[in-house]
Every structure is written in C-alpha cells, then in structure tokens.
Amino acid sequence: MTVISIQSQVAWGHVGNSAAIFPIQLHGIDVVAVPTTLLSNRPGYSTIRGRVLDVQLVADLLRGIEERGAVESARMILSGYLGSADIALDVADFVNRAKAANPALLYCCDPVLGDRDRGMFVRPDIPPLVRDQLCPLADIITPNHFEFEFLCGARVTTTDEIVAQARELMARGPASIVITSAEIAGTPDGEIETLAIERTGPDSVGAWRVRTPRVPISPSGTGDLFAALFVAARVRGLETPDALSHAASGIHGVLQRTAQRGTEEMRIVESADVMLDPKPRFAAVAISAA
C-alpha cells in the first residue's frame, strides 16, 4: 500500500509532509513524499529560511515517481499546501495523468488555504485554482470550516446548511467531504466537531459527526495530521464513519500529549501509540442528511 503525498516540508517542526509521513507510515503504508516547499520551519517563528520550490523541480519529481511506477502501486494521492499557482496547476495535471493510468487510484485534496483567525494565508491566485481545478478532481476533500465556506461560496452555521452545501460541492466532483473545526450552532461548550458527508447513491448522502473535548492549544499542522490519519484509515479499508472516528480521536490524543509537554510543535513521534490505537476513541454518530 502506498500514498503519494504532495505538500510542504519543513526541517524543524511538524506541518505538511513533516506532519503526515510518519503517521501514515505508522499504519503500515509506504509514503512517496513530494515537497512543494523546503523551509527551515513554519511561519510564525522570528526567522524562516528556505523557499517555495520552482514548479519545474516539482514537475520533475512527479515525473520521476511516475517513471518508477509509483502511480500504479499507489492507493491514494494526498495534496496539501502547494506554494504557488503554477504548482497547483502541475498537481492537477499529475492527478489527471495518474487517474488515467490507475483508475482505482483515489485523490484526497486537503485545501490548505486559510483559517478563521488569519483569513487566507496563501497567494491570492491559489484559492480559485484549488476550488476550480483540484477539488473537482478529488474523491475526498478535507477543508476546515473557513475553507469549506470559501469552496461553497456561502456562510454555513447549522448542520442542515452544511449538508446542503456539501451536496452542491459533490455535484462538482468529490464523493466525500470532511469538515474539520466545524463551527455549528448548538455545539456544546468545550467541544469541537468534525463532520463527514458522503455520497451514498445518485440522490442520497450519509452524514456523520464526531465531538471531541477541546484542548486549549492550537499548534500548526493539525489539519495536515488529520488528513494523514484519515487517509491512512481509508487506505487500510475503513469506511468513512470509522475513518472519521479514528482520525478525530488520534488528533485529540496528540493534542493532549502536546498540551502536557507544553511545546509549540505537536508531539507526533512520541504520540505513536495514540495515533495507532486512540484511547479514548470518540464514535462517529450519524446525523440527518435530509
């Protein structure tokens, strides 16, 4: 089993591929990691070194892994932070080629664009390409609530509104939509929700939610880690509700461990046990998808 992961990479800390590779490997899955940036660390520190990679280099790496047979052996492509519009377009070309060569291959697009606190944190020409080029190619997308509203072009505050907008997005491509850090009226204080909506038939969808206790920290890379854990679960054969439960529970365990250590970066390596077999495990509960 192999996942092709196309994301940013840092030398220090855990975001992008530096948050995704180990958790996926932990589940017994090989990772072919293609960087879109090479940075000393994530933004937010007093200094940062490195750069977004030239599109020709990324394109060469993608061609190179095709030549080694990575596409034929892969079960899933995962994309995250892309760095430039040119790279976004090249990733779209790669996904098209890969799906033509391996029709069973799935594509998970994590549209790393922004969040409620910071707004959009990517170059302004990237979000339209993710929305109009990459998401229609995807089988799965994993936006946070802010990104979901951008993708559907509407403000959503209730479960019914989220399901309705998810149906509209599904008509444009993805069969499964997972919304992290969902901001829903009625969520109990001190809890955080993650929702999944999935096409189950020509005119029907299923929907599930997981509620976990809110941990009072907000390290960078949690969305990258969630997507990695969700993809790993799906590649190992879990259906969407169980994959949702596994990923949300694993994230909660990592955040708890990080809070205990009092560090800025997630304690991913020392949290291997809670990512592989989360305890407690928070169940995904079916919700109305009318």
Side-chain angles (χ1 to χ4, degrees), residues 192-244:
I192 190 167
E193 297 209 46
T194 309
L195 271 62
I197 302 95
E198 182 170 80
R199 186 186 303 120
T200 56
D203 300 307
S204 60
V205 301
W208 303 268
R209 69 162 21 116
V210 172
R211 287 176 174 169
T212 57
R214 186 180 294 274
V215 181
I217 58 172
S218 185
S220 295
T222 54
D224 306 326
L225 177 57
F226 177 91
L229 291 173
F230 186 83
V231 161
R234 288 295 308 271
V235 168
R236 287 181 58 84
L238 272 63
E239 298 296 331
T240 290
D242 291 332
L244 176 65

Side-chain angles (χ1 to χ4, degrees), residues 12-267:
W12 171 274
H14 297 290
V15 298
N17 269 335
S18 302
I21 294 171
F22 174 68
I24 296 173
Q25 291 173 330
L26 183 67
H27 289 76
I29 302 165
D30 285 334
V31 181
V32 177
V34 177
T36 58
T37 72
L38 285 176
L39 300 171
S40 58
N41 47 266
R42 61 171 172 81
Y45 287 96
S46 58
T47 61
I48 187 169
R49 310 283 180 175
R51 61 186 175 86
V52 175
L53 297 183
D54 296 335
V55 64
Q56 189 56 57
L57 175 55
V58 177
D60 285 348
L61 293 173
L62 292 172
R63 284 290 184 182
I65 66 170
E66 288 178 85
E67 292 165 355
R68 299 285 71 77
V71 166
E72 287 76 13
S73 63
R75 298 280 297 278
M76 185 89 71
I77 298 170
L78 169 63
S79 71
Y81 184 85
L82 299 173
S84 74
D86 287 342
I87 291 175
L89 289 171
D90 197 73
V91 169
D93 287 343
F94 171 73
V95 172
N96 272 314
R97 296 195 307 268
K99 280 178 164 280
N102 180 1
L105 184 62
L106 299 178
Y107 170 41
C108 176
C109 177
D110 183 17
V112 181
L113 302 175
D115 56 38
R116 189 71 72 202
D117 293 336
R118 293 172 288 177
M120 290 290 185
F121 51 61
V122 297
R123 298 175 183 179
D125 51 356
I126 294 177
L129 293 175
V130 171
R131 180 190 61 207
D132 301 332
Q133 299 285 334
L134 291 174
C135 285
L137 295 174
D139 301 282
I140 303 165
I141 61 173
T142 58
N144 62 34
H145 193 107
F146 174 85
E147 292 160 344
F148 178 72
E149 289 185 335
F150 167 76
L151 294 174
C152 62
R155 177 83 169 159
V156 291
T157 59
T158 68
T159 300
D160 287 346
E161 290 172 347
I162 288 176
V163 171
Q165 291 299 327
R167 285 179 181 270
E168 296 291 329
L169 280 181
M170 287 175 184
R172 290 183 258 157
S176 302
I177 298 173
V178 183
I179 302 146
T180 60
S181 301
E183 302 165 16
I184 304 171
T187 301
D189 290 343
E191 295 192 349
I192 190 167
E193 297 209 46
T194 309
L195 271 62
I197 302 95
E198 182 170 80
R199 186 186 303 120
T200 56
D203 300 307
S204 60
V205 301
W208 303 268
R209 69 162 21 116
V210 172
R211 287 176 174 169
T212 57
R214 186 180 294 274
V215 181
I217 58 172
S218 185
S220 295
T222 54
D224 306 326
L225 177 57
F226 177 91
L229 291 173
F230 186 83
V231 161
R234 288 295 308 271
V235 168
R236 287 181 58 84
L238 272 63
E239 298 296 331
T240 290
D242 291 332
L244 176 65
S245 171
H246 179 76
S249 301
I251 282 284
H252 179 262
V254 172
L255 290 179
Q256 276 195 315
R257 189 73 53 83
T258 303
Q260 290 166 1
R261 297 292 185 267
T263 58
E264 287 191 54
E265 300 290 340
M266 290 185 291
R267 309 304 296 179

